[in-house]
Amino acid sequence: MNIKLLTEDGENAVVEFEITENAGAEDRCFGISATMMIDGSIAERSAVEERFFTRDEAEKTVAMLCKYQVTPCTLCDVL
């Protein structure tokens, strides 16, 4: 899932969210990564690992992140 936004510098950016999975984790095996692309190049990337019990929980959280246009630099603070 991704969002398009305008940066504070007036550049068009795309933030792409992905659900990550660590099958070796004991209980919370799902996480979320976010990558911001500006003009086809990676501008920033962040990930929060092993935060969710189910993929559904992670997917609903990604929907919330998109709704509020969370960027990679604030992903860890939000989650």
Side-chain angles (χ1 to χ4, degrees), residues 1-71:
M1 189 176 264
N2 63 40
I3 56 171
K4 295 179 182 178
L5 51 87
L6 193 62
T7 69
E8 61 271 6
D9 296 328
E11 298 173 300
N12 290 311
V14 175
V15 179
E16 182 175 307
F17 295 97
E18 294 181 5
I19 296 174
T20 62
E21 182 177 4
N22 179 355
E26 286 191 30
D27 53 8
R28 297 180 185 203
C29 60
F30 295 97
I32 296 172
S33 70
T35 304
M36 181 185 289
M37 305 284 287
I38 298 175
D39 294 328
S41 298
I42 295 174
E44 58 186 87
R45 179 181 281 158
S46 182
V48 176
E49 302 292 337
E50 299 177 15
R51 187 65 55 102
F52 306 100
F53 292 103
T54 66
R55 178 173 288 279
D56 185 57
E57 182 183 10
E59 289 172 352
K60 288 179 181 176
T61 302
V62 167
M64 179 271 301
L65 296 171
C66 289
K67 177 179 178 180
Y68 293 107
Q69 297 187 337
V70 173
T71 59

